[in-house]
Amino acid sequence: MRTVVVDGPRNIRVDTLPDPTLPGPDAAIVEVSAAGICGSDLHFYEADFPMVDPIALGHEAVGTVVEVGPEVRTVQVGDQVMVSSVTGCGNCPGCATRDPIMCYSGFQIFGGGLLGGAQADLLAVPAADFQLLKIPDGISTE
């Protein structure tokens, strides 16, 4: 798949990486149709954040679910979804507040190094029932 990667100050490229796989039975793969560019992406571009390896950029995204794990209940293949920038485990008391920053396991950010970036053809989304929001019919992904 294609993904936007920053590998140094003011150095961005489109790279080809292997397609992501489901990170667990509660996960989904989303085909990204649009992704935002935010200040965090620009911090990597401007070298405000230290980098050891190239980072696939992008946090917020919309797209279509193309694969789900057997434990996913709230979305299915073909659904249009929104992906927020931050995710948690989806199962702990902190996540029960619907605020991933409160996750007892620690939150993760898409495009921050541990999770893939949303400025890509495909995005692996852990805890899909917690993380993905189905876009209602009649609402454009634009």
Side-chain angles (χ1 to χ4, degrees), residues 7-35:
D7 61 3
R10 298 183 177 268
N11 191 22
I12 292 180
R13 68 178 189 277
V14 176
D15 208 351
T16 301
L17 299 175
D19 289 352
T21 58
L22 290 172
D26 65 343
I29 303 291
V30 174
E31 182 177 22
V32 176
S33 57

Side-chain angles (χ1 to χ4, degrees), residues 61-83:
V62 294
T64 304
V65 176
V66 295
E67 185 178 358
V68 295
E71 295 178 9
V72 175
R73 302 288 176 251
T74 60
V75 296
Q76 59 188 353
V77 171
D79 284 346
Q80 296 287 313
V81 294
M82 178 179 71
V83 184

Side-chain angles (χ1 to χ4, degrees), residues 110-133:
F110 289 98
L114 294 176
L115 297 175
Q119 293 176 24
D121 292 326
L122 299 168
L123 182 63
V125 180
D129 289 334
F130 176 70
Q131 181 61 25
L132 296 178
L133 179 62

Side-chain angles (χ1 to χ4, degrees), residues 41-130:
D41 297 320
L42 298 177
H43 285 304
F44 287 113
Y45 177 74
E46 297 287 346
D48 295 333
F49 293 158
M51 288 181 10
V52 175
D53 296 316
I55 293 178
L57 293 177
H59 307 307
E60 303 87 1
V62 294
T64 304
V65 176
V66 295
E67 185 178 358
V68 295
E71 295 178 9
V72 175
R73 302 288 176 251
T74 60
V75 296
Q76 59 188 353
V77 171
D79 284 346
Q80 296 287 313
V81 294
M82 178 179 71
V83 184
S84 184
S85 61
V86 180
T87 188
C89 72
N91 297 312
C92 72
C95 286
T97 69
R98 300 297 298 161
D99 182 356
I101 301 297
M102 302 301 292
C103 181
Y104 284 23
S105 300
F107 65 91
Q108 296 181 24
I109 300 172
F110 289 98
L114 294 176
L115 297 175
Q119 293 176 24
D121 292 326
L122 299 168
L123 182 63
V125 180
D129 289 334
F130 176 70

